């Protein structure tokens, strides 16, 4: 039995398009790696030497501004693919927000494998187009939505994306209760708001009975329809 046979995200990752023999070949060029919070996997501007599937945990994609600040430009979750196949440099850094496990491949080995397996290339194209759609929605969120709409949209996305990985090939139900992998300051950075504004919006949503906040990181969605309405 290979690592692919027991993979938690086997039916949702890009390798879901491969048959048994192809999975064995892919497994032969990959390796598992565990990351702790704050540990980096890739660095902005460095040679693109790795690509990876996320098996467990949450990681951030970030870039540095000219004045030395960090800007979080994306978040990846279990079954997401990270790295730059067929590219020469990494456009952003990749750092674990939680304990994480990834399946890592040499970019050159993965590129060669993908060229020989059109179904995998097709899956990569689908993922790329999906990521483009998410980026466009995020541009709308950052550019047009109010602070309240931004926070509500963020919480809805977290409830959908933080679902624990599994091997059931069926749609996952959004979580009602979850722990945010972000600090309030990181939430503010992601949404282009101040930490004070984010805290006010959390407090307002709690006072309105839409969410509960059992602890600093925990969120319970009490009224999903109202939260969706808040998100616009």
């Amino acid at each position: 039995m290979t690592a692919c046979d027991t993979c938690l995200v086997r039916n949702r990752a890009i390798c879901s398009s491969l048959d048994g023999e192809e999975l064995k070949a892919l497994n032969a060029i990959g390796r598992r790696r565990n990351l702790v919070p704050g540990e980096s996997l890739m660095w902005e501007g460095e040679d693109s030497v790795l690509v990876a599937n996320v098996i467990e945990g949450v990681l951030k994609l970030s870039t540095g501004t000219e004045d030395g600040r960090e800007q979080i430009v994306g978040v990846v979750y279990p079954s997401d693919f990270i790295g730059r196949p067929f590219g020469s440099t990494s456009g952003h850094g990749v750092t674990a927000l939680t304990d994480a496990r990834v399946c890592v491949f040499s970019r050159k080995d993965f590129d060669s494998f993908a060229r020989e397996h059109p179904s995998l290339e097709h899956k990569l194209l689908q993922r790329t187009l999906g990521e483009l759609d998410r980026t466009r929605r995020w541009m709308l969120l950052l550019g047009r939505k109010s602070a309240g709409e931004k926070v509500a949209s963020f919480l809805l996305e977290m409830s959908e994306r933080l679902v624990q990985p599994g091997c059931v090939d069926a749609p996952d139900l959004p979580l009602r209760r979850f722990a945010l992998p972000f600090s309030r300051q990181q939430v503010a950075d992601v949404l282009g708001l101040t930490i004070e504004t984010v805290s006010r919006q959390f407090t307002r949503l709690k006072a309105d009975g839409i969410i509960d906040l059992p602890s600093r990181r925990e969120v319970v969605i009490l009224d999903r329809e109202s939260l969706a309405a808040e998100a616009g």
Side-chain angles (χ1 to χ4, degrees):
M1 182 175 289
T2 68
C4 293
D5 294 321
T6 59
C7 179
L8 292 173
V9 296
R10 166 72 178 85
N11 292 329
R12 294 192 291 169
I14 58 165
C15 45
S16 63
S17 61
L18 303 177
D19 62 28
E21 290 303 313
E22 291 170 328
L23 279 174
K24 288 182 182 178
L26 182 64
N27 185 65
I29 64 172
R31 61 186 176 87
R32 298 289 179 93
R33 178 172 170 182
N34 294 324
L35 302 171
V36 298
E39 184 175 356
S40 293
L41 180 65
M42 302 173 189
W43 289 264
E44 180 184 8
E46 296 290 320
D47 291 341
S48 179
V49 296
L50 298 176
V51 296
N53 270 330
V54 182
I55 301 171
E56 296 178 75
V58 181
L59 301 92
K60 66 179 178 180
L61 313 179
S62 61
T63 185
T65 62
E66 290 185 0
D67 59 3
R69 291 177 296 141
E70 177 193 64
Q71 177 63 52
I72 298 174
V73 296
V75 184
V76 288
Y77 305 86
S79 81
D80 283 348
F81 185 81
I82 50 179
R84 188 74 181 273
F86 313 110
S88 58
T89 59
S90 299
H92 43 252
V94 179
T95 305
L97 285 171
T98 66
D99 289 325
R101 180 183 297 180
V102 294
C103 189
V104 179
F105 306 91
S106 157
R107 183 186 61 80
K108 289 184 178 180
D109 289 344
F110 185 86
D111 288 357
S112 297
F113 185 90
R115 289 190 183 98
E116 297 170 0
H117 296 83
S119 61
L120 183 64
E121 283 194 311
H122 180 70
K123 201 75 172 179
L124 275 173
L125 177 59
Q126 287 182 316
R127 287 297 177 103
T128 301
L129 293 174
E131 183 63 31
L132 180 60
D133 287 340
R134 283 195 295 273
T135 300
R136 287 169 172 163
R137 289 195 296 270
W138 198 253
M139 289 174 63
L140 171 64
L141 182 149
L142 293 179
R144 294 294 181 184
K145 290 195 172 187
S146 67
E149 289 171 333
K150 288 181 180 182
V151 171
S153 298
F154 175 80
L155 292 177
L156 286 172
E157 181 178 3
M158 290 297 100
S159 76
E160 294 167 0
R161 299 302 305 276
L162 290 175
V163 173
Q164 291 299 308
C167 294
V168 179
D169 193 14
D172 294 309
L173 295 175
L175 296 175
R176 179 176 179 271
R177 186 187 190 111
F178 53 92
L180 288 174
F182 302 92
S183 67
R184 293 289 174 89
Q185 183 60 63
Q186 287 173 322
V187 173
D189 292 341
V190 168
L191 298 178
L193 302 171
T194 65
I195 188 172
E196 292 82 9
T197 298
V198 168
S199 294
R200 281 197 299 270
Q201 293 303 324
F202 271 83
T203 300
R204 182 181 63 80
L205 291 171
K206 180 179 179 180
D208 290 344
I210 297 174
I211 65 171
D212 190 21
L213 302 169
S215 68
R216 188 70 176 172
R217 291 288 184 100
E218 275 192 296
V219 177
V220 180
I221 297 177
L222 302 176
D223 187 340
R224 181 171 292 273
E225 288 187 5
S226 294
L227 188 62
E230 288 279 345

